Amino acid sequence: MDSIHIWGGVALQGEVCIQGSKNATLPILAATLLTGECSYIRNCPRISDVYAMISLLQSLGCIVNWQENGILVDSSQVRRGEMRSEAVRGMRSSLCLLGAMLGRCSEVVMEHPGGCVIGSRPIDLHIEALKQMGVEFKEEAGLLKASADRLHGAVICLPRSSVGATENIILAGVMAEGDTELKGAAREPEIVALCRYLECCGACIEGIGTDCLRIKGGRTLYGTDFEVPADRIVAGTYLLTCIGTGGNLFLGKAPWREMEAVTNLAERMGGKLCISEKGIYVQGPDRPRAIECITTAPYPGFPTDLQSVALAVETVGDGNTVIEEKIFENRFRVVEELCRMGAKIRQLDASKVLVEGVPVLHGAAVEARELRGGAALVTAGLMARDKSSVSGCLYIYRGYENICRDFRELGARIISV
Ligand code: EPZ
């Protein structure tokens, strides 16, 4: 099941319920290591990155089971941290196990985490910050060895926004001796969810949701029952796809409070939105309006994870659009594939592309090379006037529970093979 076939040109109609957030679930699963007890994490998405995280937790001695739409984690039998598996290499989000294992066992050996091909994905911010907390690092034969005789609090200033580094500092900080003050913390909603889970476990964190966190160390953490919020990137993917295909959708449970930059863009593109506690209703325009410039930024700016989908939609915009990617250095790999479908896109420099809107895309055989670019190709296939096939869909299944089922239930002619 590594390809998706789409017969496009259908306006989407209907209602879809948004899955739990991948990027909140992963650090929260890592954080369950800190309690040494049982935690039940509800609303977890059934996606391959979560399955990989589960196998990593099991390799560390956790007992992990799905129960209904949640995951029960018993971390009472956790052994010293040795993670050498395919999952670590291929999954950037395993990096948050670094902070969790240092907090639990004061040492960890892991393969240098990989992730998608959207950039070099260095970990210098993680390492420099954890060193300030007493962690020593050694790199030997592709392995990252971290240990701390005494993990202690510190005053840390991150020079630039990093979701993962912020998560690792929080995970180590709640277990460190003494308090940690983190300036320049990322403010993504997934970090807020992590902090709320840790508070439910007994942690004390001030400034949640701001760029300055004060983390009380040395507290005993207990297992708890916690619900993961809905995935704002999946909701944004479906919202923008409706702008590109036309039609009207109701996105049930969409976390609209965390999506202001996305809903604003959808309205500027010509969408008509009605937002309620239960979700977002969107009616797409006949043709998306071209937006002069769409620039990605750390939260609450426009999310980099929706840049490729916005790019796909603007390929049929009613004019020219500049897309500027300011978070990752190589997040335009989908351009080549969109051009196979008749899009007119020109790279202006390393961080900018110019899109000249065309009336309609045509179908083609295209290849996904990473998660969000793959979702953008599905969006483009749904917008195109005839048949497309998207290969490399295992990337897409890392973050979307069942993108084919969801779009099929909205009237699209789409199958996975
Ligand atoms: C998280 O990745 C998300 N992944 C990404 O979502 C998301 O795009 C990104 O945050 C947004 O910033 C998960 O939560 C699992 P960063 P992360 O640290 O933590 C550079 C998806 O599709 N950097 O905020 O890896 C880095 O190279 C994924 O769901 C350093 O230079 O991102 C990037 O250019 C893709 N040194 C920028 O900072 C470091 O030590 C932001 O990275 C760390 C990061």
Side-chain angles (χ1 to χ4, degrees):
M1 305 277 258
D2 184 32
S3 287
I4 292 176
H5 291 179
I6 305 164
W7 291 263
V10 175
L12 299 178
Q13 307 279 343
E15 177 170 333
V16 64
C17 185
I18 301 301
Q19 69 184 58
S21 165
K22 164 176 91 80
N23 290 348
T25 297
L26 295 168
I28 287 171
L29 286 177
T32 61
L33 289 170
L34 300 178
T35 67
E37 295 190 344
C38 283
S39 280
Y40 183 52
I41 313 301
R42 302 173 186 277
N43 198 32
C44 295
R46 290 179 180 270
I47 54 176
S48 53
D49 270 13
V50 169
Y51 299 143
M53 180 60 83
I54 288 172
S55 64
L56 279 171
L57 292 176
Q58 289 168 332
S59 71
L60 293 170
C62 291
I63 300 166
V64 190
N65 293 294
W66 283 94
Q67 278 190 6
E68 295 166 15
N69 80 333
I71 298 175
L72 187 62
V73 185
D74 175 354
S75 62
S76 58
Q77 304 303 317
V78 167
R79 297 185 297 275
R80 299 162 77 84
E82 173 100 7
M83 290 175 285
R84 299 168 70 179
S85 77
E86 280 308 310
V88 172
R89 250 200 308 276
M91 190 179 74
R92 172 84 182 181
S93 32
S94 58
L95 195 51
C96 52
L97 284 169
L98 176 59
M101 285 307 292
L102 287 167
R104 176 66 188 271
C105 306
S106 300
E107 72 168 14
V108 59
V109 177
M110 64 193 297
E111 302 203 14
H112 204 288
C116 296
V117 293
I118 57 179
S120 58
R121 310 293 295 272
I123 59 171
D124 55 315
L125 298 176
H126 299 247
I127 289 176
E128 291 315 309
L130 292 171
K131 278 182 178 174
Q132 286 182 252
M133 300 175 77
V135 180
E136 292 180 8
F137 289 89
K138 288 183 194 135
E139 285 206 49
E140 289 167 13
L143 294 181
L144 186 66
K145 300 188 177 186
S147 61
D149 294 336
R150 179 181 160 269
L151 189 67
H152 57 75
V155 176
I156 299 169
C157 296
L158 283 177
R160 52 189 187 282
S161 179
S162 165
V163 170
T166 300
E167 290 168 346
N168 266 329
I169 294 162
I170 293 167
L171 290 165
V174 292
M175 304 302 279
E177 282 177 38
D179 298 350
T180 295
E181 184 173 356
L182 172 55
K183 298 173 181 171
R187 296 169 52 200
E188 271 68 4
E190 293 76 29
I191 289 171
V192 172
L194 172 63
C195 290
R196 296 296 181 216
Y197 165 74
L198 290 168
E199 280 189 317
C200 290
C201 296
C204 179
I205 302 171
E206 296 171 5
I208 296 173
T210 74
D211 64 356
C212 183
L213 298 175
R214 281 170 298 285
I215 305 152
K216 295 269 180 218
R219 296 168 73 93
T220 303
L221 301 185
Y222 303 93
T224 191
D225 184 316
F226 186 80
E227 175 152 342
V228 165
D231 192 311
R232 62 190 174 101
I233 303 302
V234 171
T237 302
Y238 295 175
L239 175 64
L240 292 173
T241 300
C242 183
I243 302 297
T245 60
N248 48 77
L249 301 186
F250 182 73
L251 305 174
K253 296 186 180 176
W256 53 272
R257 291 180 181 82
E258 303 164 1
M259 297 176 63
E260 191 172 348
V262 183
T263 53
N264 287 348
L265 179 68
E267 288 177 325
R268 289 166 62 204
M269 287 177 163
K272 292 189 175 18
L273 273 60
C274 181
I275 293 175
S276 70
E277 283 300 320
K278 292 183 178 171
I280 301 172
Y281 172 79
V282 52
Q283 184 168 357
D286 294 337
R287 182 177 184 182
R289 282 197 212 116
I291 306 299
E292 187 178 347
C293 185
I294 299 172
T295 302
T296 64
Y299 189 86
F302 186 76
T304 174
D305 292 346
L306 286 172
Q307 179 259 99
S308 298
V309 175
L311 169 59
V313 172
E314 289 291 43
T315 61
V316 295
D318 62 0
N320 291 353
T321 295
V322 170
I323 305 276
E324 186 176 18
E325 170 59 53
K326 298 189 80 171
I327 305 293
F328 289 103
E329 73 265 20
N330 185 23
R331 207 163 200 179
F332 289 124
R333 296 189 57 136
V334 72
V335 165
E336 182 185 345
E337 301 304 302
L338 290 172
C339 291
R340 290 176 195 276
M341 302 176 75
K344 288 187 177 174
I345 308 171
R346 182 159 57 88
Q347 186 111 23
L348 297 176
D349 61 35
S351 66
K352 286 195 198 84
V353 297
L354 172 66
V355 189
E356 185 185 334
V358 296
V360 68
L361 297 178
H362 59 71
V366 291
E367 182 182 1
R369 292 190 173 87
E370 38 87 20
L371 166 56
R372 304 302 178 184
L377 291 173
V378 172
T379 294
L382 293 167
M383 292 160 48
R385 66 167 177 267
D386 43 25
K387 184 188 174 191
S388 298
S389 61
V390 182
S391 61
C393 290
L394 294 180
Y395 286 114
I396 301 173
Y397 303 143
R398 287 186 53 186
Y400 294 81
E401 252 185 355
N402 197 326
I403 199 167
C404 289
R405 175 204 62 202
D406 287 349
F407 281 130
R408 195 161 45 246
E409 287 176 0
L410 295 171
R413 293 171 297 186
I414 180 171
I415 56 168
S416 57
V417 296

